Amino acid sequence: MKKSFLITAVLMSAAIAAQADELFVSIHSGAPMAQGAGLVLAGQALEQKVDVRVLLCDAAGDIAVNGQNMPSLKPRNVTPQQMLQGLIKAGAKVEVCALYLPNTGRQPADLLTGVTAAKPAEIAAHLLKPGVRTLAF
């Protein structure tokens, strides 16, 4: 009896892990290396055929604003904004948090093509879906 319970538990764990086909990356840090770490992992997930959604809040929202001057990060010598643009081109959904635009005085037109303002209800519903893994930076 215990053996069959253990086998069932292992199979259920494997099934749950197999369902993790989406990655939600929340970045709020203003530190370029933290931003880059989150964006690199998001890119790696996209390469592994995982759907990726990125939410940029607080200082990290600046990554999504046109014309930002940012440091290049080694070893590829790309800025966080260039990494973000690569994610968008590869199919990631990218949003700034709902508080970003009204609290920075920026407008939707200030954002990079492909970046939108998040709707809290949609973000909450997405996070509650089975199979969504989350990372925060």
Side-chain angles (χ1 to χ4, degrees):
M1 179 88 163
K2 288 182 184 179
K3 188 174 184 179
S4 65
F5 177 76
L6 179 61
I7 291 171
T8 301
V10 169
L11 290 174
M12 286 179 64
S13 295
I16 290 169
Q19 292 176 353
D21 53 6
E22 296 184 57
L23 179 64
F24 181 87
V25 181
S26 174
I27 305 174
H28 64 274
S29 175
M33 281 192 282
Q35 295 168 348
L39 296 169
V40 165
L41 292 175
Q44 290 298 311
L46 277 171
E47 286 182 19
Q48 295 177 36
K49 308 296 185 229
V50 174
D51 290 336
V52 173
R53 188 170 188 169
V54 178
L55 180 67
L56 303 170
C57 297
D58 202 7
D62 293 345
I63 303 170
V65 175
N66 283 307
Q68 292 294 306
N69 186 17
M70 298 181 171
S72 292
L73 299 173
K74 294 178 182 182
R76 292 182 39 221
N77 293 318
V78 293
T79 67
Q81 188 170 78
Q82 290 169 325
M83 288 183 216
L84 184 69
Q85 290 170 317
L87 289 177
I88 293 167
K89 286 180 186 173
K93 180 171 183 158
V94 178
E95 300 158 293
V96 292
C97 69
L99 299 172
Y100 181 78
L101 292 174
N103 286 289
T104 60
R106 300 205 195 298
Q107 302 300 315
D110 296 327
L111 300 175
L112 297 172
T113 301
V115 179
T116 59
K119 294 181 173 110
E122 288 179 15
I123 295 293
H126 181 76
L127 289 170
L128 294 172
K129 288 178 10 184
V132 175
R133 302 259 177 137
T134 61
L135 293 174
F137 292 87

